[in-house]
Amino acid sequence: PAFNADLLREIQRINAAAPQATRSSCDYAATACTEKGWTFWYSTVRQLAVEVVVLQKLLGSHLLVDDPQEADLFVVPYFHALDCRLMTWRTHQWATRCRYSDRAYELWSLLPHYSLATASRHIFLTSTEPHNMHLSMVGQPLLMSVGPRFGDEIGGHILVPFLVTDEELQPLQWRESEEADRPFEFLFVGSSGNIWRRLMVEQLERYRAAVGP
């Protein structure tokens, strides 16, 4: 529980204890929910809660097995991103490498099937940017994150988007809608002088000119 359930209880406790004006109306990625207003720290953290949703989906899979000898993949149920935000941002808002958490050190003794031979079969659900992860996490062969990791080999990295829990933006809502067009968001992070940013913007401008506003 210290690596998942306890972290969820803590983030929910922080939100519940916040003044009414800065308290979110939504849980922490457990259900589809549209926030009624921006609540600063909690709203920011919620955007990076993909690890919670992914673990929920994996736990509901019909492919789960009890015998580790039959397992093709080991899921590490550690909400590393949430842990980092709870321990780091409250101490030093943008400190990198999750420097204030001890869980990143304590985790390994709790993974009985982890070894050099099986490391590539352990998936770490770390839905934060690699530069903000603990070094022991970012170096894992099979990693999930919301940003790229340099030097990856094919198949060693799962890239996920920021979390969207807004009820009106869920796939089921759009399947039942009569509207033909669905809006989409394109996110690219780069400095104003970055050549890839300039090329991406030019491509998007050409696309917009072709399809209309």
Side-chain angles (χ1 to χ4, degrees):
F3 291 85
N4 41 68
D6 286 355
L7 295 172
L8 289 175
R9 280 192 286 268
E10 175 64 6
I11 189 67
Q12 296 280 44
R13 185 197 65 77
I14 291 172
N15 181 55
Q20 184 66 38
T22 58
R23 187 185 309 156
S24 175
S25 56
C26 294
D27 56 35
Y28 193 74
T31 59
C33 180
T34 302
E35 285 191 303
K36 297 178 180 178
W38 185 256
T39 58
F40 303 98
W41 187 79
Y42 184 81
S43 295
T44 301
V45 173
R46 280 188 75 252
Q47 294 180 85
L48 304 174
V50 179
E51 56 195 11
V52 178
V53 176
V54 171
L55 182 59
Q56 286 178 323
K57 292 183 178 296
L58 291 173
L59 290 176
S61 172
H62 66 281
L63 298 176
L64 296 179
V65 296
D66 294 323
D67 186 353
Q69 298 299 323
E70 299 179 1
D72 297 310
L73 187 70
F74 295 94
V75 179
V76 181
Y78 169 33
F79 296 149
H80 181 62
L82 178 55
D83 182 28
C84 291
R85 292 172 200 120
L86 287 172
M87 299 303 296
T88 299
W89 286 11
R90 287 191 296 176
T91 309
H92 186 297
Q93 277 221 323
W94 294 105
T96 58
R97 298 304 184 201
C98 199
R99 68 178 64 172
Y100 295 105
S101 175
D102 292 328
R103 289 185 178 86
Y105 298 102
E106 299 167 351
L107 175 67
W108 310 102
S109 63
L110 302 175
L111 302 178
H113 308 295
Y114 182 91
S115 67
L116 287 176
T118 64
S120 61
R121 292 166 54 203
H122 282 69
I123 178 171
F124 290 80
L125 310 178
T126 56
S127 56
T128 188
E129 305 89 341
H131 65 269
N132 282 327
M133 295 177 192
H134 192 274
L135 287 174
S136 63
M137 296 289 117
V138 76
Q140 293 306 310
L142 188 54
L143 181 72
M144 185 187 83
S145 78
V146 296
R149 179 177 62 172
F150 295 112
D152 271 329
E153 297 181 2
I154 296 176
H157 188 197
I158 301 172
L159 197 63
V160 294
F162 291 101
L163 184 68
V164 176
T165 63
D166 301 65
E167 294 176 282
E168 62 272 20
L169 297 179
Q170 300 308 305
L172 182 60
Q173 296 292 331
W174 283 93
R175 283 200 298 267
E176 296 175 349
S177 172
E178 295 180 357
E179 294 185 36
D181 298 323
R182 178 177 180 178
F184 67 91
E185 176 184 29
F186 187 91
L187 176 66
F188 178 84
V189 179
S191 62
S192 58
N194 186 292
I195 184 174
W196 301 110
R197 175 175 174 172
R198 177 172 57 81
L199 293 173
M200 194 67 68
V201 169
E202 291 175 355
Q203 181 64 35
L204 289 172
E205 288 176 342
R206 286 196 292 270
Y207 174 78
R208 183 173 183 177
V211 303

